[in-house]
Amino acid sequence: DVILCGHSYGGMVITGVADRLGDRIKALSYLDAFVPEHGDSLNGLLPKALPPEVAAQFLGGFRGAALEKHSGMMQPIPAEMFNVVAAKREWVNRRCVPQALATFEMPLLLKGGTNPAVKRQYILADGWDPSPFRYFAQQCSGKSGWEVVKVPCGHDVMVDMPDELARLLIKLV
């Protein structure tokens, strides 16, 4: 009866966990998140989800940051870019840390173990751009077993609209 919620890159993680745990998963909630298939990497999904020039900007920024001082680490994207509520941006930025570029480059290798009966929810934060997540919401919309919900806020729904997010997640119980 496990319910997993993955935000942004976390969609990659919950997809992999659901694939490995199969029947133990009750529901998956993709919170403004990537929805990968076998062999996809986050950086490989960006050109599918964004116009070419925008995807190139993101990829160039990620790879350029990782090359600085040969660290392999990408710097966090500022909360302002995700249209986080202005009063909470500094709070969010203080909590963000670098992430290894390799996590964005590594393909997700699935075994096909996700239970097809798992409930799936896609929550699209509909108040910021350029969002790659509109693509994934559209891909999930109308698919059997999926519920797609739009919320009027920036990318960090858990910061901007925590009560609404809690209501949406409780529906999966």
Side-chain angles (χ1 to χ4, degrees):
D1 290 337
V2 175
I3 298 171
L4 298 174
C5 179
H7 174 251
S8 199
Y9 169 79
M12 305 292 289
V13 176
I14 68 171
T15 300
V17 171
D19 181 66
R20 298 304 193 275
L21 295 182
D23 292 334
R24 296 176 63 189
I25 305 297
K26 179 177 182 175
L28 297 171
S29 180
Y30 290 84
L31 179 57
D32 218 30
F34 293 89
V35 182
E37 295 179 3
H38 176 74
D40 285 338
S41 69
L42 187 145
N43 281 351
L45 288 170
L46 284 174
K48 294 179 183 180
L50 292 167
E53 64 280 359
V54 177
Q57 272 187 302
F58 274 103
L59 294 170
F62 295 158
R63 291 176 178 145
L67 284 171
E68 286 181 25
K69 300 179 187 175
H70 306 288
S71 70
M73 303 296 284
M74 302 175 300
Q75 294 304 308
I77 297 172
E80 295 78 6
M81 186 160 176
F82 291 129
N83 198 28
V84 172
V85 170
K88 297 180 181 177
R89 289 176 182 170
E90 185 180 322
W91 181 86
V92 168
N93 287 336
R94 282 196 318 266
R95 284 158 177 77
C96 292
V97 297
Q99 182 172 353
L101 174 65
T103 61
F104 281 22
E105 298 279 351
M106 181 69 66
L108 180 61
L109 303 178
L110 302 173
K111 296 180 178 184
T114 303
N115 180 349
V118 167
K119 290 188 223 176
R120 289 174 174 84
Q121 177 186 69
Y122 196 95
I123 302 171
L124 175 65
D126 201 27
W128 74 282
D129 277 306
S131 171
F133 305 113
R134 294 179 200 290
Y135 168 84
F136 297 102
Q138 183 179 18
Q139 295 297 306
C140 298
S141 185
K143 274 190 180 176
S144 179
W146 282 88
E147 172 194 28
V148 177
V149 180
K150 290 181 182 180
V151 291
C153 67
H155 180 53
D156 290 0
V157 180
M158 60 283 191
V159 174
D160 290 354
M161 298 180 72
D163 295 337
E164 177 65 22
L165 175 58
R167 281 189 285 280
L168 291 168
L169 293 174
I170 287 170
K171 288 172 53 177
L172 296 173
V173 175

